[in-house]
Amino acid sequence: MNDKLYVGRPNIGNRERFLQRVNEMFDRRWLSNDGPLLKEFEQRIAEVIGVKNAIAVCNATAGIELASRALELKGEVIVPSYTFVATAHALQWQEITPVFADMNPDTHNIDPAKIETLITPRTTGIVGVHVWGRACDTRAIEDIAAKHKLKVMYDASHGFGCSAGGRMLGTFGECEVFSFHATKFINCFEGGVVTTNHDELADKMRLMRNFGFVDYDKVVYLGINGKMNEVCAAMGLTNLEAMEEIIALNKRNYHAYCEELRMVAGVSVIHYDPAERNNYQYVVIEVNADVCPRNRDEIVDALHAENVIARKYFWPGCHRMEPYRTTQPDAWKQLPETERVAARVIVLPTGQTVGEETLRQVCRVIRDAATKS
Ligand code: T4K
């Protein structure tokens, strides 16, 4: 590959339409703070998901902070370790201790069977993560939460446009948080949205997103600046118009990867349930070093040597990152599946910049590396 091929290369919708929106924004001289593009974007998101409230924010990390603060989570909150570190950091930033639960290796999501033993008198909630857009076991999580009077919210950063049991992600738990970062299936440059069917919670988060202001001079909550600006909303609206096109492209790439890598011993592509809606944004392979003559790191090295910048998300797991590795040095003992799977995963490039020939080249590198003894 002559140029570097990245995971997370942004998908970009119709540029003229985006620039037109930005031009109109300049004419209006309304750049942020509840502007018309933001309102339109929130409405479109709510329609796509079929949820009553969508609160756009400057990024998903701020969204998780906002939601967990509005839900009054404190003390300890149970989260998976196998997630982007932002899930844990958003809690720890508010001095809430993330308590790491192990994953189910078949789904890469938090294993509900591991949650109950971690509950203590200090536990106030559970933050599930729909890793790769594959829904976590919401029913089991919410049953445990009801039994122990805990609150549940989801980090749905990967899951926009995905469903579980035919119901769109964004409608589960007290609320869900999506990311629209540049690397996400739909992007706003930077951005996120919190969705909820609970009107009171939505009203609270809307105010907290804007410093807690309820009126010009009246502040009713401790708040932050979590607002999304108009340029980001313009980008989001434009990319939403290309949503089905991007899904089709991602799906085609996903199936092509499955086909090209089908016969490579010890390499498997994770499965998406065809009965659900998926955005296919993540092409994730697992390398089983018991079968494959090369381990995950050797295959990643081979890819990088050919300019394919594949990623090891979410290695080594949050519990092996600071501050958690210092504050919770024994956490790994409860996380055998997280440790095992995190050492096997590679995320491959997809999206608008990956055409058929490029994809075949990537697979050729993997095949060559994986079959050399
Ligand atoms: N929860 C979960 C489960 C998440 O996955 C994330 C974010 C969050 C919460 C927090 O959401 P936000 O607060 O960000 O909205 C990247 C993203 O920055 C991060 O948003 C994302 N997850 C994570 C999975 O990926 P890094 O540390 O890997 O970023 P970096 O700089 O290495 O870039 C990622 C790749 O994207 C590279 O291959 C280069 C490519 N890229 C990136 C940008 C920004 C481009 O090609 N063009 C670009 O403009 O975290």
Side-chain angles (χ1 to χ4, degrees):
M1 216 78 63
N2 289 334
D3 295 322
K4 282 195 163 75
L5 184 65
Y6 290 104
V7 170
R9 231 9 177 193
N11 296 316
I12 299 172
N14 185 309
R15 293 179 195 200
E16 280 69 40
R17 189 72 190 99
F18 168 72
L19 293 171
Q20 186 192 353
R21 285 190 163 109
V22 173
N23 255 324
E24 290 165 5
M25 175 202 75
F26 284 134
D27 292 341
R28 278 192 298 271
R29 287 186 186 266
W30 197 279
L31 310 185
S32 188
N33 292 28
D34 251 341
L37 290 168
L38 173 105
K39 286 190 179 133
E40 192 185 339
F41 182 57
E42 290 184 334
Q43 194 185 330
R44 283 291 298 126
I45 295 289
E47 282 165 10
V48 171
I49 291 175
V51 67
K52 280 166 84 180
N53 303 283
I55 300 120
V57 286
C58 52
N59 58 60
T61 308
I64 299 168
E65 286 173 14
L66 191 69
S68 52
R69 173 79 67 164
L71 286 173
E72 296 172 18
L73 298 185
K74 48 187 180 296
E76 294 173 2
V77 168
I78 298 171
V79 294
S81 174
Y82 191 71
T83 177
F84 191 59
V85 74
T87 319
H89 276 359
L91 298 168
Q92 186 67 59
W93 197 252
Q94 303 173 82
E95 302 197 351
I96 298 167
T97 304
V99 174
F100 298 115
D102 208 3
M103 66 142 83
N104 173 343
D106 297 332
T107 64
H108 294 187
N109 282 322
I110 191 167
D111 181 352
K114 305 288 162 52
I115 293 178
E116 228 160 355
T117 54
L118 301 173
I119 296 173
T120 74
R122 279 171 46 77
T123 311
T124 56
I126 304 169
V127 178
V129 182
H130 306 303
V131 178
W132 318 131
R134 301 190 300 180
C136 45
D137 188 344
T138 53
R139 185 170 303 163
I141 292 171
E142 287 169 31
D143 283 350
I144 295 167
K147 187 170 150 199
H148 295 272
K149 297 194 170 46
L150 304 176
K151 289 183 174 151
V152 179
M153 58 172 274
Y154 295 99
D155 176 344
S157 286
H158 300 180
F160 187 67
C162 302
S163 69
R167 185 171 142 192
M168 294 302 279
L169 299 188
T171 59
F172 291 91
E174 303 280 345
C175 62
E176 305 210 46
V177 183
F178 295 88
S179 171
F180 296 124
H181 179 259
T183 54
K184 295 295 183 275
F185 145 64
I186 295 291
N187 85 83
C188 294
F189 301 107
E190 291 270 1
V193 70
V194 190
T195 59
T196 180
N197 279 320
H198 302 281
D199 294 339
E200 233 173 88
L201 178 65
D203 290 345
K204 189 173 178 184
M205 290 192 289
R206 274 203 188 90
L207 299 180
M208 288 176 111
R209 165 182 74 174
N210 184 31
F211 314 102
F213 274 105
V214 71
D215 204 347
Y216 280 141
D217 309 310
K218 192 171 170 197
V219 170
V220 292
Y221 291 117
L222 171 64
I224 53 170
N225 182 355
K227 292 175 268 113
M228 175 183 279
N229 67 55
E230 289 287 276
V231 178
C232 291
M235 185 68 163
L237 279 167
T238 307
N239 289 335
L240 271 181
E241 286 162 0
M243 175 166 163
E244 294 308 325
E245 213 177 287
I246 300 168
I247 292 179
L249 187 74
N250 277 350
K251 188 173 177 181
R252 189 204 66 198
N253 279 352
Y254 167 76
H255 286 299
Y257 271 118
C258 291
E259 188 52 35
E260 290 281 329
L261 298 172
R262 199 164 47 90
M263 303 301 278
V264 186
V267 172
S268 53
V269 185
I270 66 158
H271 178 72
Y272 289 103
D273 182 350
E276 300 291 354
R277 294 200 54 173
N278 301 294
N279 60 36
Y280 298 94
Q281 175 70 357
Y282 297 95
V283 177
V284 182
I285 63 172
E286 281 188 49
V287 180
N288 179 354
D290 296 337
V291 180
C292 183
R294 291 272 181 262
N295 65 30
R296 186 274 306 269
D297 289 354
E298 290 168 320
I299 294 179
V300 168
D301 288 347
L303 284 163
H304 284 203
E306 294 296 331
N307 263 348
V308 180
I309 313 303
R311 299 295 296 259
K312 303 185 203 174
Y313 295 128
F314 292 104
W315 188 79
C318 296
H319 66 289
R320 295 257 180 210
M321 296 178 170
E322 292 296 354
Y324 317 108
R325 56 177 293 164
T326 299
T327 55
Q328 305 184 37
D330 294 331
W332 63 273
K333 292 179 185 163
Q334 308 289 330
L335 302 165
E337 295 299 344
T338 301
E339 298 241 309
R340 195 174 62 81
V341 172
R344 294 164 62 139
V345 163
I346 305 176
V347 181
L348 299 174
T350 188
Q352 287 175 336
T353 54
V354 181
E356 280 172 48
E357 183 44 39
T358 307
L359 188 148
R360 267 196 289 274
Q361 277 175 273
V362 174
C363 293
R364 209 171 300 135
V365 178
I366 297 172
R367 259 197 315 271
D368 287 353
T371 48
K372 268 186 207 136
S373 48

